[in-house]
Amino acid sequence: MAGLAGRFARRWCSGLLGSPLQVPALGLHVLGPAMLASQKDFNNAVSQVKLLKEDPGNEVKLKLYALYKQATEGPCNVPKPGMLDFINKTKWDAWNALGSLSKEAARQNYVDLVSRLSASSESPSPEAPAADRKQPESDSLVVTSEDGITTIRLNRPAKKNALTTQMYHDIIAALQAASKDESAITVLTGSGDYYCSGNDLTNFTHLPAGGLEEMARSAAALLRDFVNCFIDFPKPLVAVVNGPAVGISVTILGLFDVVYATDRASFHTPFSHLGQSPEGCSSYTFPKIMGSSKAAEMLLFGKKLTAQEACAQGLVTEVFPDGTFQKEVWARLKAYSKLPPNAMRISKQIIRNREKEKLHAVNAEESSVLRERWQSDECMNAIASFLSRKAKL
Ligand SMILES: CCCCC/C=C/CC(=O)SCCNC(=O)CCNC(=O)[C@H](O)C(C)(C)COP(=O)(O)OP(=O)(O)OC[C@H]1O[C@@H](n2cnc3c(N)ncnc32)[C@H](O)[C@@H]1OP(=O)(O)O
């Protein structure tokens, strides 16, 4: 069996390497004619592929192959190979998946992909920023791609990774980019001793010209967009909870596929203490995950769970000793990231899709209730109290 698999792998690789290489069906650029790559750029890219220092892997080679065919011959125009002709059928599927993409757009996507591959194979950093991704506006978020994993890291350790308004925008952009990049898995984690202390409470102190009402309106709109990105995220989404988690960083865990936590982590949703109400679809996901009374204890009374308790309630997938947490979790994720990405994406779709409509409705309702809450005396007093250092949760 192993011999057969080895022969298959060798044939598969040489089959692809023998052909000019190529983009994801996802992430194809739709560009105006003025921005498209010339034939010369394309020819250069075809030559460049042969000079790549590292083997880009079969997935990428397949993309290169499909884009090359589309760019040179147009939409797939040959009969589908038989079921048992694995290699040619896979190549045909990849080409056929490009549908009616124009030759010019395929050429551009091929050139872009090769340029990303060349840049990453020249990068000296073991955890290089994804070359095709616009980096976040501030240093408070760091996005990297390596080994088939895109990692979105909250990077404000001095403030326990509290989420500023800019960070919400940057996370939205990072998730949108990750949904289209070549990684198989996306991870959210934190720098320093905390995973995240939730919404930065000073966000509420930057009052716009329209006053409190306008602040609440725009925060509710941003919250809704932010949570929608998690609901719609198409690839496996993993939380690597490296320390305590508070507020919205806890509630959105119900929208992740897998949650790994250090035994130092805790999970705290002190909404009533803050005069606020649940968000991140937790009013729906938490009762489903842990039952209504356990969910009520967390969401109404702000009961803080230890990592072990959160795991027993089903909010956390697995807890690791803090000393080996990073090593164990990343080794496991690297192994998972080698699994066929399309199979994982499709399986996630089957698991999640029937819930999506419901989750969007819940998100809309929670955001609208919070819009009112943020204008309440209870909420204003709690935030003033935190800011004046009278209260710590
Ligand atoms: C678009 C808008 C969407 C809004 C969505 C709504 C979400 C709801 C929520 O997320 S509710 C949860 C809000 N979070 C909190 O209430 C946590 C507040 N923080 C604390 O209680 C504590 O800081 C702590 C328990 C997280 C950590 O305590 P510790 O004693 O270990 O550390 P410090 O308090 O000294 O914190 C270090 C500095 O970090 C600042 N900081 C921590 N968390 C926040 C935060 N959420 N908002 C603002 N600032 C925060 C803290 O003030 C310290 O700053 P300093 O060094 O300048 O004093």
Side-chain angles (χ1 to χ4, degrees):
M1 199 56 207
L4 235 188
R7 273 205 305 282
F8 178 74
R10 274 194 298 280
R11 248 191 86 198
W12 167 237
C13 292
S14 67
L16 282 176
L17 281 167
S19 321
L21 302 177
Q22 209 185 82
V23 165
L26 273 162
L28 291 176
H29 297 177
V30 181
L31 298 169
M35 299 163 72
L36 292 171
S38 65
Q39 184 63 42
K40 191 173 163 214
D41 295 334
F42 179 69
N43 293 342
N44 285 341
V46 172
S47 312
Q48 231 178 319
V49 162
K50 295 170 193 144
L51 303 175
L52 286 177
K53 290 185 192 128
E54 284 169 22
D55 184 329
N58 287 343
E59 186 79 13
V60 175
K61 287 180 203 161
L62 195 57
K63 288 167 188 166
L64 284 165
Y65 166 80
L67 280 178
Y68 179 88
K69 294 293 275 184
Q70 192 88 4
T72 53
E73 295 178 37
C76 182
N77 54 4
V78 296
K80 186 174 182 170
M83 281 303 286
L84 294 178
D85 188 357
F86 298 118
I87 296 172
N88 286 320
K89 187 179 163 300
T90 309
K91 288 162 78 176
W92 185 92
D93 284 342
W95 181 13
N96 192 48
L98 295 180
S100 58
L101 184 75
S102 71
K103 281 186 172 181
E104 293 74 21
R107 204 162 61 190
Q108 176 67 50
N109 282 308
Y110 185 94
V111 169
D112 287 347
L113 178 56
V114 173
S115 127
R116 292 201 295 271
L117 290 170
S118 304
S120 67
S121 78
E122 276 156 23
S123 166
S125 157
E127 206 184 18
D132 58 336
R133 179 177 294 111
K134 184 173 164 285
Q135 284 300 301
E137 295 286 325
S138 82
D139 296 341
S140 303
L141 200 73
V142 177
V143 185
T144 51
S145 268
E146 192 199 2
D147 288 334
I149 304 173
T150 289
T151 304
I152 303 172
R153 184 180 298 276
L154 309 174
N155 190 38
R156 256 188 116 205
K159 298 284 181 185
K160 310 293 179 194
N161 296 324
L163 298 170
T164 61
T165 302
Q166 184 61 52
M167 286 166 79
Y168 288 103
H169 287 291
D170 284 342
I171 293 169
I172 291 173
L175 286 173
Q176 284 168 345
S179 72
K180 297 184 198 121
D181 72 13
E182 281 152 27
S183 62
I185 293 180
T186 300
V187 170
L188 184 66
T189 191
S191 297
D193 62 340
Y194 255 68
Y195 174 63
C196 174
S197 62
N199 188 42
D200 187 313
L201 294 172
T202 66
N203 287 342
F204 292 113
T205 59
H206 311 301
L207 278 191
L212 186 58
E213 205 176 324
E214 173 53 23
M215 187 278 293
R217 188 206 59 76
S218 68
L222 178 57
L223 172 65
R224 192 171 165 184
D225 289 348
F226 177 76
V227 175
N228 276 342
C229 279
F230 287 87
I231 298 173
D232 291 329
F233 194 72
K235 299 177 181 179
L237 186 60
V238 179
V240 172
V241 184
N242 57 298
V246 185
I248 189 163
S249 70
V250 177
T251 56
I252 54 169
L253 291 177
L255 301 172
F256 281 68
D257 301 299
V258 165
V259 178
Y260 293 139
T262 159
D263 56 10
R264 232 176 18 81
S266 55
F267 298 83
H268 193 193
T269 48
F271 299 127
S272 299
H273 299 69
L274 292 166
Q276 298 185 32
S277 50
E279 69 325 79
C281 293
S282 59
S283 62
Y284 177 71
T285 57
F286 278 26
K288 251 189 103 174
I289 291 170
M290 59 186 81
S292 56
S293 87
K294 292 289 185 190
E297 221 182 357
M298 276 191 88
L299 297 175
L300 305 188
F301 300 145
K303 182 179 178 195
K304 192 197 280 189
L305 300 190
T306 64
Q308 295 296 356
E309 286 168 338
C311 191
Q313 307 301 352
L315 185 62
V316 164
T317 314
E318 193 170 332
V319 180
F320 297 79
D322 195 53
T324 54
F325 175 64
Q326 298 288 349
K327 196 170 162 225
E328 286 194 63
V329 163
W330 289 106
R332 193 180 292 190
L333 290 173
K334 273 179 196 170
Y336 289 160
S337 72
K338 306 273 182 306
L339 292 168
N342 291 336
M344 291 197 282
R345 184 189 282 266
I346 287 164
S347 299
K348 170 161 180 168
Q349 224 174 327
I350 298 174
I351 296 168
R352 295 271 172 183
N353 266 8
R354 65 181 73 89
E355 286 280 63
K356 266 196 187 174
E357 210 178 312
K358 176 75 186 170
L359 290 169
H360 282 297
V362 171
N363 182 26
E365 187 186 354
E366 288 177 347
S367 303
S368 141
V369 171
L370 264 173
R371 178 175 172 180
E372 299 305 319
R373 282 279 89 212
W374 287 328
Q375 297 175 68
S376 71
D377 288 345
E378 285 181 346
C379 180
M380 286 293 110
N381 290 338
I383 289 165
S385 175
F386 172 79
L387 295 175
S388 66
R389 292 271 168 213
K390 276 192 220 135
K392 207 164 256 187
L393 299 165

